[in-house]
Amino acid sequence: EAGVTQSPTHLIKTRGQQATLRCSPISGHTSVYWYQQALGLGLQFLLWYDEGEERNRGNFPPRFSGRQFPNYSSELNVNALELEDSALYLCASSSWADEQFFGPGTRLTVL
Amino acid sequence: AQRVTQPEKLLSVFKGAPVELKCNYSYSGSPELFWYVQYSRQRLQLLLRHISRESIKGFTADLNKGETSFHLKKPFAQEEDSAMYYCALGDSGSGAGSYQLTFGKGTKLSVIP
């Protein structure tokens, strides 16, 4: 069975630009979670989608947004990029109240 | 607000020695605690969760609500245990079901041959 996939692997942007990160969950999983792993800050919860709806968001500004599509894949958008947005962005998926399976991550670099 | 603290950034032990990775949490509700592991060049994966009360790869963890701790233990460390270990707290948010996770900053375990 294929695991959680994320694209792209690496993304380089400049300040002020927009970044779009994509995640495909494991087949049958309806929940998708996004986490940010920034240097020195550890893994921080960003967003949680389930059945196409945003269920909760972490302590991040509104320029971090996303959506979940009918096939349960998800997109994370970061607008007006700032240098401190440079981080590894991890996506995880789960079925209801079950273990979260993580993807390999997208490394975003903001120059 | 919930918080997970892993006091050690790095823990080095000799092969065959006991291992204890510390984790303390603060949470007002009934916590769901997890240990995740990331081996070199691999993705983050679940090691164990407190509700299953299983021993995985020789590791165990007991939830101590009085001390708000969920320490990870193994009696005899192996070289293949060298990895990054993260303690995480599950918060079901607005209702029962899936959890968003609050992670500690992780402990790098290095097992010396």
Side-chain angles (χ1 to χ4, degrees):
Chain A
E1 180 183 343
V4 176
T5 59
Q6 293 186 244
S7 63
T9 305
H10 295 93
L11 191 56
I12 300 175
K13 295 284 185 178
T14 55
R15 266 192 313 176
Q17 284 189 314
Q18 179 197 36
T20 298
L21 289 64
R22 295 180 178 83
C23 172
S24 291
I26 290 171
S27 177
H29 287 185
T30 61
S31 280
V32 169
Y33 308 80
W34 288 95
Y35 296 88
Q36 183 197 64
Q37 189 173 27
L39 202 61
L41 295 179
L43 276 155
Q44 294 184 285
F45 166 72
L46 254 170
L47 289 160
W48 165 22
Y49 291 96
D50 181 68
E51 296 283 2
E53 292 188 16
E54 182 180 301
R55 298 295 183 181
N56 208 356
R57 65 180 293 129
N59 189 25
F60 282 83
R63 57 192 186 80
F64 286 84
S65 65
R67 53 182 172 164
Q68 187 177 33
F69 299 98
N71 66 354
Y72 303 114
S73 67
S74 178
E75 207 171 76
L76 173 68
N77 295 294
V78 189
N79 294 319
L81 284 164
E82 300 178 2
L83 295 177
E84 52 265 34
D85 297 333
S86 293
L88 181 68
Y89 289 83
L90 293 177
C91 171
S93 75
S94 76
S95 55
W96 190 247
D98 205 349
E99 172 188 350
Q100 291 187 27
F101 291 83
F102 283 80
T106 292
R107 173 75 61 185
L108 173 64
T109 302
V110 182
L111 302 175
Chain B
Q2 58 265 32
R3 178 180 290 181
V4 176
T5 303
Q6 294 180 250
E8 304 134 331
K9 280 188 177 179
L10 175 65
L11 182 65
S12 296
V13 300
F14 285 101
K15 178 181 173 181
V19 175
E20 183 178 45
L21 299 167
K22 290 184 168 54
C23 172
N24 288 91
Y25 68 91
S26 62
Y27 185 59
S28 56
S30 182
E32 288 288 342
L33 273 298
F34 307 81
W35 276 99
Y36 278 80
V37 61
Q38 188 166 29
Y39 300 102
S40 179
R41 288 184 289 277
Q42 293 186 29
R43 59 184 70 186
L44 197 61
Q45 58 186 286
L46 179 67
L47 181 61
L48 53 82
R49 58 195 300 183
H50 90 272
I51 60 171
S52 64
R53 302 185 67 80
E54 289 179 307
S55 172
I56 306 294
K57 298 184 178 181
F59 284 97
T60 59
D62 289 319
L63 179 60
N64 185 323
K65 291 187 178 181
E67 296 183 358
T68 60
S69 70
F70 188 57
H71 301 328
L72 183 68
K73 299 177 183 179
K74 184 170 183 176
F76 308 103
Q78 303 298 317
E79 288 179 64
E80 56 265 30
D81 296 329
S82 294
M84 196 73 183
Y85 291 81
Y86 294 93
C87 182
L89 172 68
D91 177 7
S92 61
S94 58
S98 298
Y99 303 102
Q100 62 203 50
L101 298 172
T102 299
F103 284 88
K105 292 195 175 181
T107 298
K108 185 173 182 179
L109 174 64
S110 178
V111 179
I112 305 163

